[in-house]
Amino acid sequence: MRIVLLGGPGSGKGTQAKKLTDKYRIPQISTGDIFRAAVKEGTPMGLKAKEYMDKGELVPDEVVVGVVKERLAKPDLDKGFMLDGFPRTLGQAQALDKIMVEISKMIDHAILVDVPDEELMKRLTGRRTCRNSACGKMYHVMFNRPKKEGICDACGSELYQRDDDSEATIRERLNVYAEQTAPLIDYYDKKGLLRRVEGVGPIEGIFSSIVRVLG
Ligand code: AP5
Ligand code: MG
Ligand code: ZN
């Protein structure tokens, strides 16, 4: 099963991807997570990506496509994969189509987790993320609290607030999404791959809707 997860910043792509990985045993490929890991390691690619991420802008297509191409060449994808946060521009979507032709595979579903902007702002300002990158679980100070404050339920590591989750940067990310990423909804709809899921409500309920869509 090869899935693209579409949705605005904070729509719950990462939250749902973690649950889908547990259920279907297919890896989550989050370009945001890959960039954050590179920033932490201080690699040249990480330093370049950070300039854009801190402003809430998109990392240039050629950098992102290179990263995804490299990841899709790894041998752990025979059961499929989930792309979380990629593609995000028309250029990236076309590049993905080309990569899929090269590896003789097809995308099966593009799932849109649909959430209104006001809700996204609330979610992102209260998000906390597990510092252990092998885990990376997301929490929320009101909507999805860990059992022990500031500590990940799954692995016991410390939780932190992402650098790009300040109100001004979130606002820019929402604009960028509307301008550059939202057109992909139509792109995948025209291919007959779009599955729209209502992204407001309990996390478990949204997960069930996605599982139902996947059949
Ligand atoms: P990225 O890391 O992809 O961020 P994003 O798209 O802005 O999405 P988020 O990770 O913020 O949100 P999410 O949908 O995963 O939500 P989550 O599950 O955490 O990208 C970051 C940056 O990297 C970009 O700005 C860009 O610079 C760069 N980048 C990455 N990919 C790129 C690409 N392809 N091209 C160019 N640049 C790229 O949930 C959010 C919060 O809500 C959590 O606190 C969670 O607990 C809570 N929550 C989840 N579900 C619910 C619910 N149902 N009800 C209430 N709360 C909920
Ligand atoms: Mg995410
Ligand atoms: Zn953890």
Side-chain angles (χ1 to χ4, degrees):
M1 191 152 39
R2 288 171 291 271
I3 305 171
V4 166
L5 284 173
L6 284 174
S11 56
K13 300 180 297 294
T15 300
Q16 297 297 332
K18 303 262 177 246
K19 297 175 71 66
L20 291 164
T21 292
D22 288 346
K23 184 172 168 75
Y24 296 103
R25 304 271 148 218
I26 54 177
Q28 168 196 13
I29 302 177
S30 158
T31 40
D33 287 352
I34 293 172
F35 290 137
R36 278 183 290 278
V39 170
K40 203 167 152 193
E41 282 169 36
T43 68
M45 188 265 278
L47 293 177
K48 176 150 195 186
K50 189 173 170 16
E51 287 173 33
Y52 297 92
M53 294 169 84
D54 284 350
K55 288 187 275 187
E57 289 171 9
L58 295 182
V59 176
D61 281 0
E62 60 273 19
V63 178
V64 188
V65 170
V67 161
V68 171
K69 205 166 175 178
E70 204 174 291
R71 179 63 186 88
L72 289 178
K74 295 213 169 131
D76 59 338
L77 306 175
D78 35 307
K79 278 193 175 167
F81 54 78
M82 230 175 318
L83 287 167
D84 159 8
F86 179 92
R88 255 179 151 93
T89 64
L90 229 35
Q92 291 180 18
Q94 286 157 350
L96 175 62
D97 286 347
K98 210 164 136 222
I99 297 172
M100 297 308 283
V101 169
E102 281 163 17
I103 62 176
S104 308
K105 299 273 162 62
M106 292 218 307
I107 297 295
D108 302 302
H109 308 277
I111 299 173
L112 171 65
V113 187
D114 208 0
V115 178
D117 278 10
E118 329 71 89
E119 170 80 14
L120 295 178
M121 181 57 86
K122 278 189 259 168
R123 286 191 189 178
L124 290 175
T125 48
R127 170 166 58 190
R128 298 293 181 273
T129 306
C130 174
R131 210 180 264 291
N132 165 13
S133 52
C135 169
K137 254 191 104 177
M138 273 78 57
Y139 298 86
H140 192 283
V141 293
M142 290 174 67
F143 309 140
N144 182 21
R145 297 163 72 155
K147 293 196 180 76
K148 193 166 167 222
E149 198 187 318
I151 302 292
C152 176
D153 294 348
C155 76
S157 304
E158 185 198 11
L159 303 182
Y160 80 107
Q161 184 163 23
R162 258 168 56 175
D163 289 344
D164 59 347
D165 279 348
S166 69
E167 205 171 316
T169 311
I170 295 168
R171 220 169 281 291
E172 180 57 20
R173 286 158 63 202
L174 290 170
N175 289 337
V176 166
Y177 176 77
E179 281 167 23
Q180 303 195 53
T181 309
L184 297 187
I185 298 171
D186 203 36
Y187 183 83
Y188 284 107
D189 198 15
K190 287 201 171 112
K191 286 176 177 286
L193 296 178
L194 188 74
R195 327 280 179 239
R196 202 181 282 264
V197 169
E198 173 64 62
V200 181
I203 290 169
E204 282 304 326
I206 297 165
F207 180 61
S208 306
S209 307
I210 296 176
V211 170
R212 210 171 311 129
V213 154
L214 297 178

